[in-house]
Amino acid sequence: METLSLPSDPTVGLDSLYVRDASIVCEGGVILCNMGKPQRRTEPAAQEVAFRAAGLPIRGRITGDGTVEGGDVCWINERTLAVGRGYRTNDAGIRQLRDLVRDCVDEVVVVPLPHWHGPADVFHLMSIVSPVDRDLFLVYAPLMPVPFSRGADLARHRARRGAGSRIRDSGCNVLAVAPREVLAVAGNPETRARLEHAGVRVHEFAGREICLKGGGGPTCLTRPLTRAPG
């Protein structure tokens, strides 16, 4: 696994360590987001500098009144993209995203997100669903919208419920580093047991300071840029 570290940038704040939110990657390159949280609006431009220096193509960007945050975007498969519509991602942003991925995606599934703790809270689609393999997702069932969890979007896949975990413990926020191999925040033993029962190898790290206090798990801390086939 090769990693690209973003350089220090005086224009961004502490939230910028949750790099997932400022960009999206599709077959055509990087899409720069327009953040729903005003204090994070400088992050996409800071990422763009690093991406261009690394030779990564920029596909486009979300602009104007449209907002999209990368934590609200989840690949269901190579040709299906789920986008959470909530306080951080709005309809105007989703329309722009559809246009940008039109030639590399067959379907964009819009997922209405719950109010949860309101607009000041950190809540994204990937707070409640994490891809683990092509046919396996980890979900937080109590907050999953019924049409999304029972419809054609996830019906072809097994959804492994994160038992005994809470949103605040990042129990359902795991990062797949390979098929059925994930990185997870320590402290969710029941969720780990369910994953391992499904044949998933789980690597844990102590993330209380970075993840639990900041409301962002291992997916939030990373922005996958390319993946090997398989």
Side-chain angles (χ1 to χ4, degrees), residues 6 53 74 77-78 102 122 126 148 196 215-217 221:
L6 293 175
C74 179
N77 56 50
E78 291 90 341
R102 187 182 303 278
V122 180
M126 295 198 74
F148 182 54
E196 290 177 336
L221 293 166

Side-chain angles (χ1 to χ4, degrees), residues 112-135:
L113 297 180
H115 170 75
W116 193 227
H117 293 308
D121 192 41
V122 180
F123 188 90
H124 290 116
L125 176 61
M126 295 198 74
S127 301
I128 56 173
V129 57
S130 293
V132 176
D133 201 348
R134 291 177 181 271
D135 63 345

Side-chain angles (χ1 to χ4, degrees), residues 26-180:
C26 68
E27 191 177 80
V30 177
I31 297 170
L32 299 168
C33 295
N34 191 22
M35 311 296 278
K37 183 176 180 179
Q39 295 89 336
R40 302 188 67 182
R41 290 284 171 88
T42 58
E43 293 179 31
Q47 286 196 8
E48 180 180 10
V49 173
F51 291 151
R52 290 190 183 278
L56 296 168
I58 304 299
R59 172 76 169 186
R61 66 191 73 234
I62 308 299
T63 62
D65 294 333
T67 61
V68 173
E69 293 194 0
D72 280 328
V73 178
C74 179
W75 289 95
I76 304 303
N77 56 50
E78 291 90 341
R79 304 289 299 182
T80 305
L81 192 63
V83 184
R85 182 178 64 218
Y87 289 117
R88 302 294 183 91
T89 296
N90 64 18
D91 287 323
I94 293 172
R95 285 193 294 271
Q96 293 182 40
L97 181 60
R98 282 185 191 274
D99 289 338
L100 288 166
V101 299
R102 187 182 303 278
D103 60 354
C104 60
V105 167
D106 294 329
E107 184 179 13
V108 175
V109 179
V110 179
V111 184
L113 297 180
H115 170 75
W116 193 227
H117 293 308
D121 192 41
V122 180
F123 188 90
H124 290 116
L125 176 61
M126 295 198 74
S127 301
I128 56 173
V129 57
S130 293
V132 176
D133 201 348
R134 291 177 181 271
D135 63 345
L136 184 65
F137 289 77
L138 178 65
V139 304
Y140 186 74
L143 291 179
M144 285 288 287
V146 173
F148 182 54
S149 61
R150 298 186 63 181
D153 316 312
L154 287 181
R156 297 185 298 274
H157 309 281
R158 287 191 295 159
R160 185 67 52 173
R161 298 176 68 173
S165 64
R166 298 178 300 170
I167 294 294
R168 289 301 183 193
D169 294 335
S170 294
C172 283
N173 188 300
V174 301
L175 175 68
V177 295
R180 277 176 162 73

